[in-house]
């Protein structure tokens, strides 16, 4: 998430496969900080590098990380009172597209080995629906635009979207 955030903030045009590969020591440090054991650092870093390079080579990934979108935010913290409880969330990616649609996107690093990717994406949508819809309800407290929700899977270059109503 941190590196996708940095790519978006820097501008996707500032990043390429070579630059990502050069960041391998930094990626290993981030992973170690997150608790990855030393003998798994290189393997885990390779997965991160693959996810990042696939995102950069994916048309949807490029669109999603484009920092020129209106109201572009990454790792966007929001706080609201919902049902008399303080709720704090962090939205991976949100922006307004050229048609005036608010997008709320959550990155999912899960991989999938199988033949029915569409079924997997539907299952993931159902699993994360309430989380993203809570983000949308909070966003609606300050933004009345229509909202689309999406899951992005860098390792699969896969995308699952739905309307929030």
């Amino acid at each position: 998430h941190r590196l996708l955030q940095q790519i978006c903030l820097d501008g996707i045009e500032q990043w390429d496969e070579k630059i990502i590969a050069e960041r391998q020591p930094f990626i290993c440090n981030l992973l170690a900080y997150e608790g990855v054991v030393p003998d798994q650092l290189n393997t885990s870093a390779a997965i991160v590098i693959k996810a990042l390079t696939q995102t950069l080579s994916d048309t949807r990934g490029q669109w999603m990380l484009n920092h020129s979108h209106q109201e572009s935010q990454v790792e966007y913290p929001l706080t609201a009172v919902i049902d008399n409880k303080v709720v704090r969330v962090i939205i991976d990616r949100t922006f307004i597209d050229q048609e005036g649609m608010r997008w709320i996107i959550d990155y999912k690093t899960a991989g999938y080995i199988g033949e029915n990717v569409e079924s997997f994406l539907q299952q993931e949508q159902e699993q994360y629906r309430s989380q993203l819809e809570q983000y949308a309800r909070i966003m609606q407290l300050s933004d009345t635009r229509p909202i689309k929700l999406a899951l992005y899977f860098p390792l699969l270059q896969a995308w699952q979207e739905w309307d929030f109503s």
Side-chain angles (χ1 to χ4, degrees):
H1 285 222
R2 183 169 173 190
L3 291 167
L4 289 170
Q5 175 184 20
Q6 196 60 53
I7 290 169
C8 188
L9 292 173
D10 291 347
I12 197 167
E13 64 282 351
Q14 302 297 317
W15 287 76
D16 61 24
E17 195 169 320
K18 181 180 179 228
I19 289 170
I20 291 170
E22 290 171 355
R23 299 286 196 284
Q24 200 244 357
F26 176 71
I27 292 168
C28 285
N29 286 338
L30 284 176
L31 291 167
Y33 179 78
E34 293 296 325
V36 175
V37 294
D39 65 335
Q40 292 296 313
L41 285 175
N42 287 331
T43 302
S44 298
I47 293 168
V48 171
I49 289 168
K50 180 180 179 184
L52 295 172
T53 56
Q54 287 192 178
T55 301
L56 291 180
S57 69
D58 180 36
T59 304
R60 179 73 71 173
Q62 294 167 10
W63 172 79
M64 175 187 71
L65 292 178
N66 185 326
H67 70 288
S68 67
H69 291 295
Q70 184 181 359
E71 296 188 28
S72 176
Q73 296 287 339
V74 287
E75 300 301 318
Y76 186 51
L78 289 173
T79 303
V81 176
I82 308 265
D83 297 327
N84 295 319
K85 294 179 187 171
V86 175
V87 177
R88 291 180 179 88
V89 300
I90 297 177
I91 298 173
D92 293 347
R93 183 77 176 109
T94 187
F95 56 84
I96 310 299
D97 70 14
Q98 291 182 333
E99 287 77 42
M101 179 70 65
R102 160 74 64 187
W103 285 90
I104 296 175
I105 303 165
D106 204 50
Y107 311 136
K108 297 298 175 198
T109 55
Y112 174 73
I113 299 172
E115 293 182 21
N116 194 340
V117 175
E118 290 303 317
S119 177
F120 168 75
L121 294 175
Q122 285 291 327
Q123 290 170 359
E124 293 293 288
Q125 178 180 333
E126 290 312 309
Q127 179 175 346
Y128 294 104
R129 177 184 296 277
S130 64
Q131 174 190 342
L132 269 73
E133 290 185 356
Q134 181 179 49
Y135 295 172
R137 282 191 296 279
I138 293 170
M139 185 65 75
Q140 278 187 325
L141 296 173
S142 61
D143 187 348
T144 60
R145 292 178 183 92
I147 297 175
K148 282 209 178 255
L149 305 172
L151 301 173
Y152 181 71
F153 298 82
L155 290 170
L156 300 172
Q157 291 183 322
W159 176 266
Q160 183 72 15
E161 72 179 60
W162 66 99
D163 292 323
F164 175 72
S165 54

